Amino acid sequence: MDINDQIESPFIIKVSFNKLFNEYEKLKSSDSDHVASNANRVLKIAEDFPVLREGFSDLTLLETHKTEINNILHDAFNPLLTHNEIKVATVPFQNHIFKTSERFDSILKNVGPDFELKVKNMPYDQSYIIACAIILKACYGYDLNFKRPFFYEIPDANGIMRYYKILYNADFMEINARKDAKPITQDDFDELLDNFENIELWKEKFPPDSYEFKGIIISNIFDVTDDQSISNIKSTLIGEDKRQDEGFMEGFYEIFRSLFGFKNLEVGFSIYNEEDSTFERVYGVGMNSFLLNNEETLSCDNALCEWSYNRLISEKAYFSVSDVDRMYKLSKGKSPHVKVLHEQGYKSAIFAPIANDNELMGILEIVSKEPKVLNSINANKLVDVLPYIVSAVERSKNDEENLVDAIIQKECTSIHPSVHWRFEKEARNFIKDQLNGKEPAFNKIAFENIYPLYGQIDIKGSSKARNWATKQDLTMQLTTVKDILESASKLEDLPIYNQYVYQIDEYLTRLTNDFKVDSEHQISAFLKDDIQSVLDHLSKNNALKPLVDEYFDTINDELNVLYHHRKKYDDTIALINREMAMLLDQKQVEAQQMYPHYFERFKTDGVEHNMYIGESITKEDSFNPIYLYNLRLWQLQVMVEMENAYYQMQSKFPVALDVASMILVFNQPLSISFRMDEKHFDVDGTYNARYEIVKKRVDKAAIKGTTERVTQKGKISIVYSQKEDEREYLRYIKFLQSKKYLDDDVEIVELEDLQAVTGLKAIRVSVLYHKDKDDKAFYTYNDLMKEIKS
């Protein structure tokens, strides 16, 4: 079998002991008789078997000359050290090992005959280039500094992965150019420097089999499991958050098993919340806390005994429980951390603080179901590991704080991604001024010449619905109190009870005939200030106590009122707002892909939205009016889809309410600026303020000469002031009619003048509905209501 068969390499490889024999040539003249005698012994082998000096590629000769090779390598593989040293002799660039130390043999014996020994981090696809790099240095003096540490990964008898670093001794190799070799110039070298991965270029400069590689490699191997485990922990913790990676924790377990040297080991974490003095669970795939067990959070006092509390939290030092069962008996099950380990079947453990100089951030928990394998002795291994865990937790904590800030910004402020670049620019300028010793100031953020779009889907009759719910709740509450007082007066004839009943009757009459804005407040104050103490007194009467208890069971503890119908109303408003806002947000993603623009929405009694589009927002020379027209059409279509979505889910709401949709068209560009105090954008300038006035009042506007509001259930109202806007939207309506989004009953109406705003008109058109997502039929609002109720 030839070494070079089926291998593409710039080398023809030969096993040769020539350079080793040359060293012995120097030693045969030694003053030491023993050294000289030994050198002559080796050189006699070279004389008797010239092929060992000349070199050979036939691997069978390694076995043929096994005795001679063992004698040649006797000094390199000293029998006195063979049980301690891990050493092998190999064919250059091959995995053919022909001489080993006893220690190496015993390591391989543990894994069995089927184990394939491979260098862990020697990339096969780069082996040709690595060989070329060796030629560059050996033959031409160009040092690419390509040295890398190489490793074997070999499991021990218990299945624990151990890591062995390989140090190659290349003193006994020689490289010679063959006739096919091409001389390498400085220009060639410079070209190769920038083309490491261009394998064809390397093959052009170093054709296959163009050099001869003669010699042997002697490798000294060292067990670096502890160092590599620490390195692996560091590498595992560096980079992005791994908490969503299903294999992360199992891989983490394996690293710690290698570090501690046994299989039965698990690792957990818990977060320390200093403000609440609690331990909390770390959320992530495979994450666990053996200190918390099934609890989400636990006070430190309930998780630790006094000694362990001081050790971890006050001293920030680790401790071990080498025999859980023994400690459980000694503490009589009263030591919390020992008890929780005992309940889970763990027999030994180490708890270590994850802490920096400033704070304790969490607890590292290492546990095993074998007693005494985790103890105060091997706990010292954590000294080298904890700094990397601390760094990772610090980074994770900062990332989490940044994420929290990002969520707050997204959910609680109006800094939309489309304008984030502008805020970022100002923030960088702020930091730059601060670092340069200037007085930093966050400059005004404004966008000029942008076009506004506004729309709303408003809940019709929301005030009326809430008043009805309020009257129902108050009526029920007053009636119940009246019944209790009337029962009390029969047991104890006190005039005050009759006076309270009289007052309740007056409130009930007012609820029916004359409910006003302040009626709810007056009645609630009466029930709280006057009736509460009376009912507390009556609850001491055994005959009345069941009635009083039943009454208090119906009262909301936080609001101190009966909150039944109003809760249904409030829940309905919240559900409508959530569903409509969610749908609008989903649709907005599509619209942003068409062309970036500013978007914000607000939840009131319904959902309103603002959009601004223009060159100054996109900061690119790309804006065209076609994008404005497209966004207007998109807005109209989405408003119709939201109407449909609402009525398809209306039956799921606690209270059946109607909605009405409106779009406001403003055809002149305007300017907006960010109000730092209010944390949102607003229009700039007196003229532009007209737009805001219309926005706030137009949904309450009436059709000229009537009391009918412009917004009506079942219709889309498009409010505008310019004739070109009318023509534009009539085109959109005609298009949506062809798609069966809108009905044919288009009407154009004039609106009553608003304060400082005149000449407004509106297009109104009925929406066509579907009963559900799968329904192919089209319904007007009235038809839909009949279908739903039938």
Side-chain angles (χ1 to χ4, degrees):
M1 176 182 174
D2 193 287
I3 298 170
N4 301 290
D5 285 349
Q6 299 178 335
I7 295 174
E8 188 175 40
S9 169
F11 292 127
I12 290 289
I13 299 173
K14 289 184 178 182
V15 177
S16 169
F17 298 88
N18 180 54
K19 290 200 74 173
L20 186 62
F21 291 148
N22 290 343
E23 292 300 316
Y24 278 109
E25 292 280 1
K26 300 173 186 176
L27 295 176
K28 70 179 183 180
S29 302
S30 172
D31 294 337
S32 168
D33 291 340
H34 173 74
V35 172
S37 174
N38 185 52
N40 285 316
R41 175 187 63 79
V42 173
L43 291 171
K44 181 67 169 67
I45 298 172
E47 182 181 338
D48 292 343
F49 301 95
V51 69
L52 297 178
R53 184 187 285 274
E54 295 164 2
F56 54 88
S57 298
D58 185 355
L59 287 175
T60 60
L61 292 179
L62 288 171
E63 187 62 31
T64 301
H65 297 291
K66 184 175 182 178
T67 300
E68 291 76 29
I69 291 171
N70 285 340
N71 287 329
I72 293 168
L73 296 177
H74 180 274
D75 293 340
F77 288 78
N78 192 311
L80 293 176
L81 303 176
T82 190
H83 293 288
N84 183 273
E85 288 186 338
I86 311 172
K87 183 180 286 189
V88 296
T90 65
V91 175
F93 284 95
Q94 302 292 316
N95 208 28
H96 299 297
I97 298 174
F98 56 85
K99 177 68 177 172
T100 60
S101 67
E102 292 286 345
R103 172 84 183 279
F104 183 82
D105 291 339
S106 66
I107 290 170
L108 286 190
K109 185 179 179 181
N110 288 328
V111 293
D114 297 329
F115 180 76
E116 184 179 359
L117 186 67
K118 287 183 178 180
V119 178
K120 173 64 178 175
N121 52 341
M122 172 74 83
Y124 176 78
D125 57 344
Q126 293 178 5
S127 59
Y128 196 103
I129 296 172
I130 293 170
C132 295
I134 293 171
I135 294 171
L136 279 171
K137 182 175 182 181
C139 298
Y140 301 101
Y142 295 120
D143 190 355
L144 288 177
N145 192 21
F146 200 77
K147 293 181 180 178
R148 294 176 58 200
F150 294 108
F151 297 90
Y152 288 133
E153 288 185 359
I154 307 174
D156 65 13
N158 297 317
I160 301 299
M161 188 61 69
R162 302 197 69 80
Y163 304 92
Y164 299 90
K165 186 175 182 178
I166 309 164
L167 294 183
Y168 294 108
N169 185 334
D171 290 346
F172 310 116
M173 301 188 310
E174 50 190 319
I175 301 172
N176 300 302
R178 303 180 74 207
K179 62 180 180 179
D180 295 336
K182 298 179 179 180
I184 302 298
T185 66
Q186 182 67 45
D187 289 342
D188 292 327
F189 177 70
D190 292 343
E191 184 179 4
L192 290 169
L193 284 177
D194 293 323
N195 288 279
F196 176 77
E197 295 180 353
N198 187 347
I199 184 67
E200 295 305 320
L201 179 64
W202 288 88
K203 287 181 179 180
E204 177 190 327
K205 306 293 185 186
F206 303 92
D209 303 337
S210 58
Y211 290 81
E212 184 179 71
F213 195 109
K214 287 174 57 177
I216 62 168
I217 300 290
I218 295 179
S219 300
N220 291 285
I221 303 168
F222 302 91
D223 188 336
V224 291
T225 301
D226 285 359
D227 292 340
Q228 189 60 32
S229 296
I230 293 168
S231 178
N232 288 346
I233 288 171
K234 182 179 178 181
S235 300
T236 302
L237 293 172
I238 287 174
E240 298 300 318
D241 185 14
K242 303 291 198 325
R243 281 187 278 180
Q244 300 304 318
D245 184 349
E246 292 185 7
F248 170 70
M249 281 308 296
E250 185 56 39
F252 211 57
Y253 287 178
E254 288 301 326
I255 295 170
F256 271 89
R257 287 163 185 164
S258 293
L259 181 66
F260 281 88
F262 62 92
K263 195 77 175 173
N264 190 347
L265 179 149
E266 296 174 64
V267 183
F269 299 93
S270 49
I271 297 171
Y272 174 60
N273 184 329
E274 183 178 14
E275 184 177 347
D276 299 331
S277 190
T278 57
F279 293 122
E280 299 173 0
R281 185 175 297 280
V282 179
Y283 293 101
V285 178
M287 294 280 185
N288 202 356
S289 170
F290 309 103
L291 192 61
L292 295 176
N293 196 8
N294 296 321
E295 300 293 332
E296 295 295 315
T297 183
L298 196 63
S299 72
C300 297
D301 291 339
N302 291 332
L304 301 168
C305 67
E306 184 178 354
W307 180 87
S308 58
Y309 179 95
N310 289 329
R311 182 74 174 166
L312 278 177
I313 297 175
S314 302
E315 299 175 26
K316 296 178 185 174
Y318 56 81
F319 69 89
S320 65
V321 183
S322 62
D323 192 333
V324 171
D325 290 347
R326 176 174 169 273
M327 288 300 298
Y328 184 77
K329 290 177 182 177
L330 287 174
S331 65
K332 299 179 180 179
K334 294 181 180 179
S335 182
H337 64 286
V338 174
K339 181 182 178 183
V340 76
L341 290 172
H342 184 268
E343 289 172 350
Q344 296 172 81
Y346 294 106
K347 304 298 184 182
S348 59
I350 297 171
F351 295 104
I354 303 171
N356 55 25
D357 293 338
N358 300 318
E359 60 177 335
L360 173 68
M361 294 173 285
I363 305 297
L364 171 66
E365 311 161 2
I366 306 173
V367 298
S368 175
K369 292 190 176 179
E370 292 182 41
K372 302 178 183 177
V373 293
L374 293 169
N375 50 65
S376 64
I377 307 301
N378 57 19
N380 285 280
K381 288 179 177 284
L382 295 178
V383 171
D384 297 319
V385 172
L386 278 171
Y388 302 117
I389 296 177
V390 169
S391 295
V393 172
E394 285 176 332
R395 188 174 64 253
S396 177
K397 189 175 180 181
N398 290 335
D399 290 345
E400 191 154 332
E401 288 174 358
N402 291 338
L403 179 60
V404 168
D405 289 343
I407 291 171
I408 291 171
Q409 177 176 300
K410 179 182 176 184
E411 299 296 328
C412 306
T413 72
S414 302
I415 302 176
H416 189 262
S418 64
V419 295
H420 186 269
W421 65 271
R422 187 70 178 81
F423 287 85
E424 189 178 72
K425 180 180 177 181
E426 284 305 323
R428 292 185 188 280
N429 288 336
F430 187 96
I431 294 170
K432 183 172 68 176
D433 288 346
Q434 202 169 38
L435 293 174
N436 289 334
K438 300 179 182 178
E439 186 67 32
F442 207 89
N443 296 323
K444 177 181 178 180
I445 293 176
F447 298 96
E448 297 179 350
N449 293 318
I450 58 171
Y451 294 88
L453 295 90
Y454 172 78
Q456 68 173 37
I457 181 164
D458 189 40
I459 298 170
K460 296 293 290 181
S462 57
S463 297
K464 184 177 179 181
R466 191 188 188 285
N467 286 344
W468 179 87
T470 302
K471 287 194 287 185
Q472 292 296 112
D473 282 346
L474 292 176
T475 298
M476 289 173 63
Q477 189 171 355
L478 287 169
T479 302
T480 303
V481 172
K482 178 181 177 181
D483 292 342
I484 295 171
L485 292 172
E486 287 177 341
S487 298
S489 65
K490 293 176 182 177
L491 297 174
E492 188 179 14
D493 188 15
L494 296 179
I496 190 65
Y497 295 149
N498 295 325
Q499 191 272 325
Y500 281 139
V501 169
Y502 169 78
Q503 196 167 347
I504 288 172
D505 284 336
E506 279 200 326
Y507 281 133
L508 289 171
T509 301
R510 189 183 303 177
L511 285 172
T512 304
N513 302 323
D514 189 27
F515 185 76
K516 296 180 180 178
V517 175
D518 64 340
S519 298
E520 178 182 1
H521 175 72
Q522 290 179 3
I523 295 171
S524 296
F526 165 72
L527 291 167
K528 180 183 178 182
D529 299 337
D530 296 347
I531 298 300
Q532 177 83 31
S533 58
V534 175
L535 295 178
D536 288 341
H537 167 71
L538 295 178
S539 67
K540 297 172 183 177
N541 186 301
N542 291 334
L544 297 174
K545 189 177 187 305
L547 292 175
V548 176
D549 288 346
E550 185 178 353
Y551 166 81
F552 280 117
D553 286 343
T554 65
I555 301 303
N556 181 279
D557 293 335
E558 294 181 11
L559 302 176
N560 202 36
V561 294
L562 192 148
Y563 185 57
H564 176 67
H565 292 89
R566 277 173 288 188
K567 186 176 188 306
K568 285 187 175 182
Y569 169 82
D570 290 342
D571 287 348
T572 299
I573 297 297
L575 280 169
I576 292 171
N577 286 345
R578 189 186 71 189
E579 295 295 338
M580 293 298 99
M582 190 183 303
L583 177 59
L584 188 57
D585 288 346
Q586 290 169 353
K587 294 292 183 180
Q588 246 296 298
V589 175
E590 303 168 9
Q592 290 293 340
Q593 291 172 351
M594 297 176 193
Y595 190 82
H597 57 279
Y598 180 82
F599 169 80
E600 63 182 356
R601 59 159 174 76
F602 308 97
K603 296 176 183 177
T604 52
D605 281 354
V607 177
E608 304 173 36
H609 66 270
N610 287 319
M611 295 186 289
Y612 298 105
I613 186 170
E615 188 73 53
S616 60
I617 288 178
T618 52
K619 67 169 183 174
E620 295 175 4
D621 187 18
S622 61
F623 179 73
N624 187 288
I626 190 69
Y627 295 116
L628 170 63
Y629 304 147
N630 181 73
L631 193 58
R632 285 175 172 174
L633 174 59
W634 172 88
Q635 181 190 36
L636 178 57
Q637 182 170 319
V638 167
M639 294 293 286
V640 174
E641 291 175 3
M642 289 174 68
E643 280 262 351
N644 258 283
Y646 172 77
Y647 282 107
Q648 286 168 11
M649 65 179 73
Q650 186 194 46
S651 60
K652 300 176 184 177
F653 298 144
V655 179
L657 298 171
D658 284 307
V659 294
S661 299
M662 184 203 74
I663 289 172
L664 174 61
V665 184
F666 196 79
N667 70 344
Q668 294 297 316
L670 45 73
S671 298
I672 60 170
S673 62
F674 190 76
R675 310 297 186 200
M676 295 294 180
D677 51 345
E678 299 172 14
K679 297 293 184 288
H680 73 89
F681 279 97
D682 206 348
V683 296
D684 266 347
T686 305
Y687 174 77
N688 295 332
R690 178 173 177 268
Y691 172 69
E692 288 294 327
I693 293 172
V694 175
K695 251 186 9 179
K696 287 180 172 63
R697 300 176 181 174
V698 69
D699 65 318
K700 304 293 191 296
I703 296 174
K704 184 169 283 190
T706 74
T707 58
E708 180 187 346
R709 282 193 179 180
V710 63
T711 54
Q712 292 294 317
K713 59 188 178 185
K715 292 179 181 285
I716 291 281
S717 300
I718 303 162
V719 179
Y720 61 96
S721 61
Q722 303 297 320
K723 190 66 177 179
E724 57 263 35
D725 298 332
E726 180 182 297
R727 287 194 292 266
E728 180 184 343
Y729 274 87
L730 287 175
R731 290 198 303 271
Y732 300 155
I733 289 169
K734 188 174 182 180
F735 170 68
L736 294 179
Q737 285 171 336
S738 71
K739 295 180 67 175
K740 299 297 184 182
Y741 273 66
L742 298 172
D743 205 353
D744 296 329
D745 59 342
V746 178
E747 60 175 332
I748 297 174
V749 296
E750 292 185 28
L751 305 187
E752 292 285 359
D753 293 342
L754 301 175
Q755 182 180 351
V757 180
T758 60
L760 292 178
K761 300 174 76 175
I763 303 171
R764 296 201 303 187
V765 59
S766 295
V767 176
L768 291 179
Y769 299 94
H770 304 277
K771 274 198 304 183
D772 53 56
K773 292 179 181 179
D774 300 322
D775 184 27
K776 302 299 181 184
F778 301 97
Y779 304 90
T780 64
Y781 172 83
N782 291 330
D783 292 337
L784 179 68
M785 292 299 107
K786 291 177 184 177
E787 283 290 324
I788 290 173
K789 293 174 183 177
S790 63

